[in-house]
Amino acid sequence: KSKVREPVFDFNEYTPRVLTTPRYTAYVKIAEGCSNRCSFCIIPKIRGPFKSRSIDSIVRETEILSSKGVKEINLISQDTTMYGADAGLRNGLSELLRKLVKINEIRWIRLLYCYPTFLNNELIKIMKNEEKICKYIDLPLQHSHNYILKAMLRQEREGEIRDLIFRIRDAIPDIAIRTAFIVGFPGETDRHFEHLLNFLKEMRFEHLGVFTYSPEEGTKAAELSNQISEDIKNKRRDIIMETQKRLSLEKNKGFIGITKDVLVEKAGGSDKFLVSGRMQTQAPEIDGVVYIEKSEVKAGDILSVKITKAMEYDLVGGVNI
Ligand code: SF4
């Protein structure tokens, strides 16, 4: 008889947690595993199928975090929008969010790693109507060309992806969409790459990450014969990053003169530019920041900041008094 136990959750709300993030922001894991089958990814084999935590357990953990000073929670899993579907819930994530927004001390709730399939109108509606839910969505799309999407075993095709982006932007015009793409997937031709480049120029994502494809042992994609050279992969990545830099600067210039709430992350010290924070539309660690030209503020404060200057990824502003 095997001595290997059935996989269990790594933790629940009572497992002691060491916060690796500053005390006013925290990541909350809402599910384990993944039931998608992206051909480049080994996670489903390692972590097993998607399994949601209970709403009660997540709410309890968030209450404990909020009692320790956390103001922003970032919900994470491999497929956040699928939350609850494995337990038969139709709109599980919306249901969870309705409970989380009631926790007084929590000011911002952010959704990370949202696979497009379960991102439905119900979720878009609650994001639009609930002030505490950040006007931000992390939507890794991986590619835009149908040939590559199919080879990646992604569930959506270009038409569905476009429709989803238009629906989100129509409902929440000031939303920031972060996405991630893979370049140099086996079989990606110049034509496929051009398609991706034109797609991101058209969609003008607020934040974008690009990765060169790297074969993962045990995945279907690693066995494909038409692998791309590292040289081409790197060139394609650089072209996308250069393009995004320009688009990001143009977007950031649109903030000049506008006042936004900023969660202060770094404060103190003699250098006034050591004070920085993030808007609702900037996630911790991966997006840009707002440098604040005033040092008498505390980390964890949420302040009204008027943006005065834009850079490629970061902004500069002053506290509105
Ligand atoms: S890339 Fe993400 S959605 Fe796809 S199989 Fe891996 S973990 Fe799941």
Side-chain angles (χ1 to χ4, degrees), residues 233-249:
K233 287 182 200 172
N234 291 337
K235 277 190 189 132
R236 289 178 180 170
R237 179 201 53 213
D238 293 348
I239 292 171
I240 288 196
M241 281 326 291
E242 273 308 307
T243 308
Q244 179 61 20
K245 228 195 246 180
R246 186 173 49 74
L247 294 173
S248 177
L249 178 60

Side-chain angles (χ1 to χ4, degrees), residues 116-159:
T117 310
F118 287 89
L119 215 169
N120 58 21
N121 288 344
E122 176 71 21
L123 182 61
I124 295 173
K125 197 164 105 196
I126 188 170
M127 288 185 76
K128 174 189 163 93
N129 294 336
E130 285 292 351
E131 247 180 55
K132 286 187 177 182
I133 303 177
C134 294
K135 304 301 171 258
Y136 179 99
I137 191 122
D138 171 33
L139 187 68
L141 295 171
Q142 314 302 357
H143 213 281
S144 63
H145 195 286
N146 282 345
Y147 175 88
I148 302 291
L149 289 168
K150 191 168 174 224
M152 286 177 162
L153 300 182
R154 300 285 291 179
Q155 296 191 44
E156 283 70 32
R157 297 292 175 262
E158 185 192 354

Side-chain angles (χ1 to χ4, degrees), residues 7 10 29 32-34 42-49 78:
D10 293 343
K29 197 174 204 180
E32 267 293 344
C34 183
I42 195 72
I43 287 174
K45 272 196 187 168
I46 298 174
R47 309 294 288 180
Q78 305 298 338

